[in-house]
Each structure stands twice: as C-alpha cells, then as structure tokens.
Amino acid sequence: VVGAETLYNQGVLLKKKEAIKVREDFYNNNQNPVVALSTEEAIEEFDGGYVEYLMYDFHANELHSPLLSSETPKIEIYVDDKVFSTEVIGKKVFIDDSPAERKDIIIRTSKTEIVKMLQERSYILQSFNEGKSKIEVVENKAKLFSKGYLELYERLTGEKAVL
C-alpha cells in the first residue's frame, strides 16, 4: 500500500519534471536577450522579454496554484521606475507591463542588475545577498508555501526560507 506522503512526493516530482520540460522548451525557442550585447547595449534595449527570461532563470515556472484552488502565483517586479507583473499558469510564465492584482511577492531591482543576472546566472545570488535586488513578502506564509515559493526564495537568497 502506497502512503499519502509517497503519493504527494511523487506528485511533486512529476510537477517538477513538467516544469523542467517547459523551461527547456522555453530556452530552446528563446535566446537569452543579452547574448552578444555589451552591458550598456543590453540596458538600452531592456524590455519585458528580459524579465520573462529571468523568471525562467529563477525557475518561477515551478510555482503552482495551491491544492484545490485556481489562484495562480503572481509576482510584481519593479525594475527602476517600471513595473511588471508575472503570472505562472500551467508551468508557463506570462509577463505584463502593469502592476499585479493579488500579488504574492514583490521583487525590486534595476535594469543593470537584471542584465548582470542574465549575463551570468551565478550573479543572481550575489545580487540578492548584496541587497541590490530585494524580495518583499506580500501574502501570508501558508499561501506562499502552498504555491511553492520556498524553493524560489532559497534559490534567490541562498537561505532557508523564513517567509
């Protein structure tokens, strides 16, 4: 007899595999927007596509709706004086250039920081650890946990989530 915990863990693993496949498909069909650009050129050409690519680098597509709910994960991202919203639906990341309704977290950063993160993935952790990029928790801990934000938080900060 398979226990509930085993079934739950198998379900989580299956969802993670689905998210990895979607992320791989995204990378296969979309080139990193800063490739072959200097930092200055990349900052000049910055648009929502940079945010979308970065969300896949963050593995944001692994976020999910809570069990028995259709409420999707939503992240609001402030890039200098511009705001973007991210919504994860079916392991895909959707970007809009407007504030998010019922956002779960807010990320504050700059074009320069995003370009550096896209140029070198290992810089993501450094940007958040040095305070050049920040995460603000909006929703309660239980809701964030139910949507899978713990791993995202740990990936961005290198710290165990204390949401």
Side-chain angles (χ1 to χ4, degrees):
V1 176
V2 177
E5 184 177 352
T6 301
L7 288 175
Y8 173 79
N9 289 336
Q10 288 174 345
V12 168
L13 183 60
L14 181 60
K15 287 180 183 179
K16 188 171 285 261
K17 285 181 180 179
E18 290 170 5
I20 290 169
K21 172 74 171 111
V22 168
R23 192 168 47 255
E24 286 172 354
D25 289 346
F26 176 83
Y27 288 143
N28 288 335
N29 295 312
N30 297 276
Q31 182 179 8
N32 183 326
V34 303
V35 168
L37 297 176
S38 69
T39 301
E40 295 76 22
E41 290 169 330
I43 292 168
E44 185 68 31
E45 294 185 21
F46 184 90
D47 64 15
Y50 286 46
V51 175
E52 180 182 27
Y53 204 93
L54 187 65
M55 289 298 109
Y56 279 99
D57 279 356
F58 286 177
H59 297 201
N61 71 310
E62 292 180 14
L63 299 172
H64 49 81
S65 296
L67 192 61
L68 304 175
S69 172
S70 61
E71 190 176 316
T72 56
K74 294 180 183 170
I75 302 171
E76 192 166 83
I77 303 124
Y78 286 88
V79 182
D80 296 325
D81 59 348
K82 185 132 176 73
V83 64
F84 296 90
S85 59
T86 300
E87 185 171 11
V88 180
I89 302 172
K91 306 298 177 204
K92 293 184 181 175
V93 175
F94 296 92
I95 302 292
D96 193 11
D97 58 356
S98 62
E101 291 184 32
R102 296 186 317 267
K103 58 196 156 271
D104 301 313
I105 65 170
I106 297 171
I107 294 176
R108 295 184 188 276
T109 191
S110 67
K111 291 178 186 176
T112 302
E113 288 303 296
I114 288 179
V115 168
K116 288 180 179 180
M117 288 185 243
L118 291 174
Q119 289 172 329
E120 182 59 50
R121 283 188 184 145
S122 64
Y123 183 75
I124 293 170
L125 189 61
Q126 182 179 343
S127 181
F128 283 91
N129 285 337
E130 292 179 355
K132 295 176 182 175
S133 297
K134 296 179 172 122
I135 302 172
E136 296 175 28
V137 174
V138 176
E139 271 296 347
N140 67 59
K141 293 176 185 180
K143 187 169 280 191
L144 294 173
F145 177 78
S146 71
K147 291 182 177 184
Y149 279 98
L150 294 180
E151 286 184 25
L152 177 71
Y153 183 86
E154 290 174 18
R155 190 173 293 110
L156 298 182
T157 66
E159 301 171 7
K160 289 286 183 193
V162 190
L163 304 171

